[in-house]
Amino acid sequence: MNCIKRASLTVLALSFLGIATPNYAHAEGFALQDWSARAASLAGGVVARGGDASSVAYNPAAITELEGTQIMGGSEIITLSNTITGPYASKSKDRFYFAPHGYITHKASDTISLGLGIYSRYGLGNEHDMNWFGAGEIYNIQLLTSSITPIIAYRVNDKLSLGFGLEFMAGIVDLDKRVGIPNVGFIGTSKLSGDATDFGYNLSAHYRFNDQWKAGFTYRSHVTLNFSGDMDFYAKIPGAPQPTMTSVPGSAKLYTPDSYTLALAYYPTQNLSLEGQVQYNTWSNYNNLTISLPAPFGNQTEIKNWEDTWFFSLSTEYQYNDWLTLRAGISHETSPVKQAWADYVAPVNGRWKYTAGFGIQKGNWTYDMSYVYHDIKSLEYNGSHTKGVIHGSRSTDVSAHTVAFTFGYKF
């Protein structure tokens, strides 16, 4: 029976790790922070805490504190809305999306621990009606990524552990806009669809000063996604009986930043912990987005000139009794977008996140659930040089709600 139970749980774990690319993701810029329900309820505050298999994503070095073999899997359910005001108000379409995650860790010896995870580090989704006033810049964007990360952690001594991991990232993108061709007189749409893969890596450290203080550090390298696919043009020429379609090969390069995270956790009592975290992201290398097309179409370049960003969080976790744990957190992210180059693709201008959740433990099973409210600052488009942006327009009522759940089992 134990063998059958173990085999069934292993199949469950592998099924979590085999979930396809998530349908949606959205955060400041287009980076994500919520890769498990427990971490989401703590505003990402598990870099120093550690404590479960999601450390594969947050701080691989911390998995040396985990015993035996552990698995986790679940998903984040996301909905967001934004309204762009200008000649009239255009509200984005309401949709629900899913971003799954899954992890396995194994303590191979007293000094070596191994792990494997799949989760989404980047993504973006935003859709308006095809005829809205900003459709010449964008009316639909979906950027979807999944990362597979095998990691290894080495316990140097009773206090210090070090971690190293590889990252294989795969992404797909759909970018739709309305187009008009001067001196020809037809209006249509363009749709760029492409996919890309690339490799990155991460370095991490975890240090336990004593029973009350722990620290964690994680560095994640940038990944450059060279998308290749097709640009489809759909056009209605006046007098023509039906729209015509032209498809040409296209490519685009998307930069993701290097990320540095430092965290400190404090345990005033055995059942209560606090963690503070700071993160720095090098978005300033995202200077432009160039779509390369063959003649006679030529290249299309959009200037971005983003800025580096900071992320700060503070969280608390309280073990109420032997089966229930309560969690809450708050975080703030600065915006990468300069007002002079603001666009409708990512209508973001910094955000606050307010998080809460709970965990239930029954035997070797764990169940975590979280809720996150994203309060996103409004963005003014006065003075923006981005083509297709209407001066005087403004993003308002930009917010998102996410609910996440994660199941886990400890062998």
Side-chain angles (χ1 to χ4, degrees):
M1 289 295 294
N2 288 338
C3 292
I4 294 175
K5 186 176 182 180
R6 181 181 290 267
S8 299
L9 290 169
T10 303
V11 170
L12 173 63
L14 293 175
S15 69
F16 278 126
L17 294 181
I19 297 175
T21 301
N23 298 89
Y24 172 82
H26 183 78
E28 197 61 38
F30 46 88
L32 299 178
Q33 296 283 352
D34 302 334
W35 304 318
S36 77
R38 174 174 174 251
S41 65
L42 294 169
V46 294
V47 174
R49 273 192 186 96
D52 63 33
S54 70
S55 293
V56 170
Y58 289 93
N59 185 352
I63 71 169
T64 60
E65 295 193 329
L66 305 179
E67 298 296 330
T69 300
Q70 301 191 17
I71 62 172
M72 296 181 70
S75 184
E76 184 180 22
I77 304 169
I78 309 166
T79 179
L80 91 158
S81 64
N82 67 83
T83 298
I84 309 294
T85 60
Y88 56 87
S90 177
K91 186 178 184 300
S92 64
K93 296 184 179 180
D94 294 328
R95 290 188 174 181
F96 290 91
Y97 305 91
F98 299 86
H101 53 264
Y103 309 100
I104 297 177
T105 64
H106 175 67
K107 193 175 185 67
S109 69
D110 288 340
T111 57
I112 299 295
S113 295
L114 306 173
L116 179 68
I118 182 169
Y119 53 100
S120 181
R121 285 187 59 205
Y122 299 99
L124 180 65
N126 192 19
E127 182 178 5
H128 286 258
D129 184 84
M130 184 186 298
N131 296 312
W132 83 292
F133 62 83
E137 208 253 320
I138 186 72
Y139 68 83
N140 178 51
I141 172 69
Q142 285 201 62
L143 167 67
L144 318 172
T145 72
S146 276
S147 292
I148 299 175
T149 57
I151 58 100
I152 183 171
Y154 174 64
R155 185 181 181 186
V156 179
N157 52 45
D158 290 343
K159 295 181 178 294
L160 176 64
S161 293
L162 302 176
F164 171 75
L166 296 175
E167 177 177 14
F168 172 75
M169 184 182 292
I172 60 174
V173 66
D174 287 306
L175 176 64
D176 305 334
K177 62 174 67 177
R178 290 183 65 86
V179 295
I181 310 299
N183 303 321
V184 176
F186 66 79
I187 297 294
T189 63
S190 67
K191 179 182 180 67
L192 173 67
S193 300
D195 55 71
T197 59
D198 196 19
F199 289 91
Y201 66 94
N202 60 74
L203 303 172
S204 57
H206 188 260
Y207 192 85
R208 177 184 287 272
F209 296 92
N210 50 45
D211 290 340
Q212 287 190 302
W213 293 93
K214 295 194 294 185
F217 171 79
T218 303
Y219 164 74
R220 300 181 186 88
S221 73
H222 67 271
V223 174
T224 302
L225 294 173
N226 293 292
F227 289 97
S228 61
D230 296 305
M231 176 76 87
D232 297 330
F233 295 93
Y234 299 85
K236 179 64 171 71
I237 302 176
Q242 60 186 6
T244 60
M245 193 275 280
T246 300
S247 181
V248 298
S251 64
K253 179 180 293 187
L254 183 63
Y255 170 87
T256 69
D258 295 280
S259 177
Y260 305 81
T261 306
L262 180 65
L264 184 66
Y266 172 58
Y267 292 75
T269 68
Q270 184 178 359
N271 294 338
L272 176 66
S273 67
L274 305 170
E275 178 169 320
Q277 183 183 129
V278 59
Q279 183 181 105
Y280 181 69
N281 301 290
T282 61
W283 282 113
S284 58
N285 289 328
Y286 184 39
N287 296 317
N288 65 76
L289 176 63
T290 298
I291 300 173
S292 301
L293 301 172
F297 297 94
N299 295 341
Q300 302 177 8
T301 299
E302 294 184 4
I303 303 299
K304 299 299 180 181
N305 283 338
W306 278 15
E307 297 180 308
D308 294 342
T309 63
W310 291 91
F311 170 88
F312 306 92
S313 73
L314 181 65
S315 60
T316 181
E317 184 173 44
Y318 176 63
Q319 186 176 339
Y320 180 74
N321 54 34
D322 60 355
W323 63 271
L324 177 64
T325 301
L326 305 176
R327 305 170 180 129
I330 185 173
S331 69
H332 176 65
E333 298 172 82
T334 63
S335 175
V337 177
K338 295 180 181 179
Q339 187 170 342
W341 297 102
D343 58 40
Y344 298 138
V345 176
V348 294
N349 193 29
R351 73 178 59 206
W352 287 89
K353 292 199 302 185
Y354 306 93
T355 68
F358 63 87
I360 295 174
Q361 181 171 337
K362 184 175 179 60
N364 290 338
W365 288 94
T366 59
Y367 172 71
D368 299 307
M369 191 166 185
S370 67
Y371 167 75
V372 180
Y373 172 67
H374 306 248
D375 184 11
I376 304 167
K377 294 172 61 178
S378 298
L379 180 61
E380 302 283 349
Y381 292 99
N382 291 329
S384 174
H385 303 302
T386 300
K387 183 180 179 180
V389 167
I390 305 299
H391 288 186
S393 57
R394 182 174 186 264
S395 70
T396 62
D397 302 323
V398 189
S399 63
H401 304 268
T402 63
V403 175
F405 63 90
T406 305
F407 293 94
Y409 187 83
K410 302 175 182 179
F411 291 99

